[in-house]
């Protein structure tokens, strides 16, 4: 048996919150990958942002060493394929405890001294995010593995992202292991969840595993199934190197890192690599595995997943989807027809655009560098320079959704200490001008042409699929009535669950639909969407004036019939978001020259320093200093200082 036969590469996919990262925790424990004292919940969610929000944003690979004989002898009660009737769910002392983990670690350490233990397997796991805005992370993970564990929460059943991610896994020809999770919960409906899985996957009910990522029940059996069902990677170490870059990162110490799946060949430190798409060359500094922290190794070979510290000084040479080979494999050091690059990835299409402007002009270069580094770690994010009369030089940025935008904004603030002014997020409109053949694309409302030259405005529509228990059909219809969606049809997924299909303007989907659907269905319904078409609609541009000056960043495109209500809502929101200043400020919504809504922010009654009597200059200066600091995150529009978060706040209800 060649070494490679001992490798299994897989990812965990599911709808958001169905327990992927928690299951990964149990796998890390069972395989002794992470020391018990270092273990914490959702260990693979390593970014502060992920931990605070309790969601996975980035895919995270990790390499585990697994010995079935050890795990099984230690946890015999978990080794059964738990498809049999379960009667010990109320905890008869068999649940997974910390002491079990510690014992398993002792045995793990022992195995290196015992010669004749059964085979040892390398399991390369990639934990993926469940939120729709990070779908590109999932699709890139799928291309690096041979199998996928499809997790379904037994209290929630099949949801929109379960379907969307499953379809992607099927497209990649992956071996799919269906699993019902959270069976420890009293409201788990295992039978129903299984019926739904059988329906969507066309598998046998007996093939579906039952586990609890929380207690660890059934996880050993799952690991065994992974080894038995997922095929070992193909590919030959003796062939020329072909490594697929599925992610990348800027590391302060090691520079530009490429996260790779090696399909053929081998690579080690101090070898000259060649990027097949852009032709860049560099000497590798280091190669290694994810444990999940970076761990240096001698070489990476066919079938393995790891990282290459590329040695590139500049981030743009390392592109996700590119194939890395070795210069020594090339004829005359040039591209060689004999080495076929791997298929790579389709670039994702941004759904929303917003412009980011530094609050002070000097930060422009800093912002560009920060964006390049963020892009390296978030391939779905796009940006390009633009400039604006009022706001100066900045960047037009594309995102997969509003959460994606918020995450980039937060990362910019935390990792690079930049808090920019952000314009009202907008979808891409297409405009047919009078007497012009071709439509033009508009990425921000500020670019909207004068109405007199416009013949027709087109906006993007999506195919929207709402997955829900049948009982909420009426409630969902009620929510959809508030949008401009057109109902298409309803499909029965399995007895008690439906998929409702709509054609809906993208704008209506990205702003409040998620919250509205969740609250109307007690959190049980979910949706996914994909771009469908462009369709004309009677849309107009609404401007916002603050203190008599038009603020481009607040302009938005609205359906004509909603202009008044939107105008009223936005000025009210702004009144809350802009702090009082020492003069009165009028906030107005306008269409052309016409004011359609107005609010006034009253002035401060007194100067802040007025109460400081006498000549205590230092105190006075301190206070002014403090004020200045507070103002750092403000953007001055004319005389008015606007907090940078106000620009995003006004978008949501
Ligand atoms: N009772 C119980 N709770 C679980 C189980 N698995 C996960 N949870 C809980 O479900 C919540 C979500 O778990 P995560 O592991 O973060 O889910 P996820 O699928 O990784 O979520 P995303 O990565 O954001 O899509 C957490 O509060 C977990 O504690 C389980 O088997 N039983
Ligand atoms: Mg997660």
């Amino acid at each position: 048996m060649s070494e490679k036969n001992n490798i299994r590469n897989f990812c965990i996919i599911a709808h958001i919150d169905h327990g992927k990262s928690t299951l990964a925790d149990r796998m890390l424990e069972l395989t002794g990958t992470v020391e018990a004292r270092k273990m914490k919940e959702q260990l693979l969610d390593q970014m502060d942002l992920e931990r605070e929000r309790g969601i996975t944003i980035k895919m995270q690979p990790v390499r585990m060493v697994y010995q079935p004989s050890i795990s099984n002898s230690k946890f015999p009660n978990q080794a059964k394929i738990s498809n049999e009737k379960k009667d010990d769910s109320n905890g008869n002392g068999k649940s997974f405890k910390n002491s079990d983990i510690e014992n398993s670690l002792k045995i793990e350490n022992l195995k290196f001294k015992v010669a004749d233990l059964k085979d040892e397997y390398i399991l390369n796991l990639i934990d993926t995010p469940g939120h729709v805005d990070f779908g590109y992370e999932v699709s890139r993970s799928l291309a690096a593995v041979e199998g996928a564990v499809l997790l379904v929460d037994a209290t929630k059943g099949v949801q929109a992202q379960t379907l969307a991610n499953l379809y992607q896994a099927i497209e990649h020809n992956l071996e799919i292991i269906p699993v019902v999770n959270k069976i420890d919960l009293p409201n788990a409906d295992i039978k129903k969840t299984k019926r739904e899985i059988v329906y969507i996957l066309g598998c046998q009910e007996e093939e579906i595993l039952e586990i609890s990522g929380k207690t660890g029940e059934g996880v050993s059996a799952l690991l065994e199934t992974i080894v038995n069902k997922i095929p070992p990677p193909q590919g030959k170490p003796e062939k020329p190197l072909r490594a697929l870059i599925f992610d990348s990162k800027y590391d302060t110490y090691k520079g530009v890192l490429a996260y790779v799946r090696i399909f053929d060949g081998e690579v080690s430190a101090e070898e000259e690599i060649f990027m097949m798409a852009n032709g860049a060359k560099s000497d590798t500094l280091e190669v290694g595995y994810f444990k999940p922290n970076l761990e240096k190794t001698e070489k990476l070979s066919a079938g393995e997943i790891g990282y290459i510290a590329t040695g590139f000084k500049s981030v743009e040479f390392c592109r996700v989807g590119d194939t890395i080979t070795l210069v020594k494999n090339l004829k005359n050091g040039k591209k060689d027809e004999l080495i076929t690059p791997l298929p790579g990835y389709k670039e994702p299409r941004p759904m929303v655009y917003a412009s980011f402007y530094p609050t002070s002009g000097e930060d422009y270069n800093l912002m560009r560098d920060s964006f390049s580094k963020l892009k390296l770690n978030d391939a779905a994010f796009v940006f390009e320079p633009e400039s604006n009369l009022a706001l100066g030089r900045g960047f037009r940025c594309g995102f997969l959704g509003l959460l994606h935008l918020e995450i980039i904004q937060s990362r910019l603030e935390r990792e690079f200490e930049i808090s920019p002014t952000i314009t009202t997020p907008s979808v891409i409109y297409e405009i047919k001008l009078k007497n012009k053949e071709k439509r033009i694309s508009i990425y921000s409302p500020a670019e909207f042409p004068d109405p007199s030259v416009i013949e027709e405005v087109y906006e993007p529509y999506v195919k929207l699929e709402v997955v829900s228990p049948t009982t909420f059909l009426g409630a969902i219809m009620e929510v959809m009535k508030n949008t401009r969606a057109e109902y298409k049809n309803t499909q029965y997924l399995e007895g008690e669950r439906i998929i409702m299909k709509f054609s809906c303007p993208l704008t209506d989907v990205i702003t409040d639909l998620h919250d509205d659907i969740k609250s109307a269905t007690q959190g049980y319904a979910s949706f996914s969407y994909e771009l469908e078409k462009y369709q004309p609609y009677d849309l107009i541009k609404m401007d916002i004036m603050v203190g008599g000056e038009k603020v481009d960043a607040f302009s938005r495109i609205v359906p004509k019939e909603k202009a008044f209500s939107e105008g009223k809502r936005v000025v009210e929101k702004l009144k809350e978001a802009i702090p009082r200043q020492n003069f009165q400020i009028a906030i107005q919504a306008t269409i052309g020259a016409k004011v359609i809504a107005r609010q006034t922010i009253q002035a401060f009654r007194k100067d802040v320093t007025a109460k400081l009597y006498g000549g205590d200059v230092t105190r006075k200066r301190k206070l002014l200093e403090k004020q200045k600091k507070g103002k750092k995150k403000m953007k001055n529009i004319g005389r008015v200082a606007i907090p940078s978060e106000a620009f995003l706040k006004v978008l949501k209800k």
Side-chain angles (χ1 to χ4, degrees), residues 225-352:
T225 310
I226 287 167
V227 167
N228 291 332
K229 278 181 80 174
I230 295 175
Q234 303 293 308
K236 297 193 166 60
E238 58 277 10
K239 283 174 99 176
L241 177 71
R242 288 200 305 164
L244 171 71
I245 307 176
F246 63 86
D247 200 4
S248 52
K249 188 179 173 174
Y250 188 82
D251 182 277
T252 328
Y253 304 104
K254 304 183 204 290
V256 178
L257 300 182
Y259 289 27
V260 291
R261 157 68 198 270
I262 313 284
F263 279 85
D264 281 317
E266 290 181 341
V267 59
S268 48
E270 291 169 32
E271 281 195 287
E272 200 181 359
I273 49 170
F274 179 79
M275 314 301 271
M276 295 196 72
N278 65 32
K281 290 177 192 172
S282 180
D283 287 320
T284 58
L285 303 176
E286 181 181 309
V287 302
Y289 302 125
F290 304 99
K291 295 287 286 174
N293 298 325
L294 306 181
E295 196 175 285
K296 199 168 152 177
T297 181
E298 215 157 274
K299 65 174 183 194
L300 292 175
S301 308
E304 292 193 300
I305 288 176
Y307 69 88
I308 300 175
T310 59
F312 282 119
K313 292 279 174 294
S314 173
V315 297
E316 67 256 26
F317 295 124
C318 187
R319 276 274 174 262
V320 151
D322 201 352
T323 303
I324 303 181
T325 190
L326 296 177
V327 170
K328 71 177 184 204
N329 295 144
L330 304 170
K331 269 189 212 148
N332 318 320
K334 281 201 300 226
K335 207 163 169 171
D336 185 341
E337 313 75 64
L338 294 177
I339 309 172
T340 329
L342 297 157
Y345 300 109
K346 216 166 70 188
E347 295 244 339
R349 197 160 159 179
M351 290 281 181
V352 263

Side-chain angles (χ1 to χ4, degrees), residues 14-25 41-42 45 53-57 127-131 151 153 181-186 211-216:
H15 189 78
I16 188 163
D17 271 352
H18 281 208
K20 297 173 287 295
S21 306
T22 306
L23 168 61
D25 288 348
E41 278 179 30
Q42 288 103 34
D45 289 343
R53 291 175 179 245
I55 54 166
T56 304
I57 293 164
D127 182 25
T128 66
H131 193 282
L151 216 55
D153 182 334
N181 190 28
K182 305 199 187 180
I183 58 169
D184 61 294
L185 287 172
I211 68 157
S212 163
K214 193 118 191 168
T215 67

Side-chain angles (χ1 to χ4, degrees), residues 542-579:
M542 181 174 87
D543 290 316
I544 301 293
M545 315 270 285
V546 177
E549 283 204 44
K550 191 173 95 184
V551 184
D552 271 349
F554 285 135
S555 298
R556 65 192 59 215
I557 312 298
V558 291
K560 197 169 177 186
E561 78 272 10
K562 287 200 177 163
F564 279 95
S565 58
E566 262 297 291
K568 189 163 168 287
R569 193 185 67 77
V570 172
V571 294
E572 277 166 11
K573 271 269 173 178
L574 277 175
K575 187 183 175 186
E576 289 165 27
I578 299 176

Side-chain angles (χ1 to χ4, degrees), residues 542-653:
M542 181 174 87
D543 290 316
I544 301 293
M545 315 270 285
V546 177
E549 283 204 44
K550 191 173 95 184
V551 184
D552 271 349
F554 285 135
S555 298
R556 65 192 59 215
I557 312 298
V558 291
K560 197 169 177 186
E561 78 272 10
K562 287 200 177 163
F564 279 95
S565 58
E566 262 297 291
K568 189 163 168 287
R569 193 185 67 77
V570 172
V571 294
E572 277 166 11
K573 271 269 173 178
L574 277 175
K575 187 183 175 186
E576 289 165 27
I578 299 176
R580 285 184 176 205
Q581 294 169 36
N582 50 21
F583 47 89
Q584 180 179 307
I585 308 163
I587 305 169
Q588 297 161 304
T590 62
I591 306 265
K594 193 167 144 205
V595 177
I596 57 165
R598 181 193 161 110
Q599 285 283 338
T600 308
I601 300 174
Q602 295 304 333
F604 277 135
R605 234 167 281 139
K606 278 194 190 111
D607 187 285
V608 257
T609 55
K611 62 173 174 279
L612 296 174
Y613 52 86
D616 190 348
V617 191
T618 42
R619 251 188 97 189
K620 196 163 172 174
R621 200 184 300 131
K622 258 189 203 157
L623 193 61
L624 287 171
E625 232 8 81
K626 213 166 125 196
Q627 263 196 323
K628 215 167 137 196
K629 257 198 182 145
K631 267 192 189 144
K632 238 184 161 177
K633 288 185 178 179
M634 304 272 210
K635 183 78 192 174
N636 282 314
I637 304 286
R639 289 198 303 159
V640 184
I642 301 176
S644 45
E645 70 268 14
F647 294 86
L648 261 186
K649 244 188 213 161
V650 295
L651 187 74
K652 291 193 173 177
K653 253 191 234 157

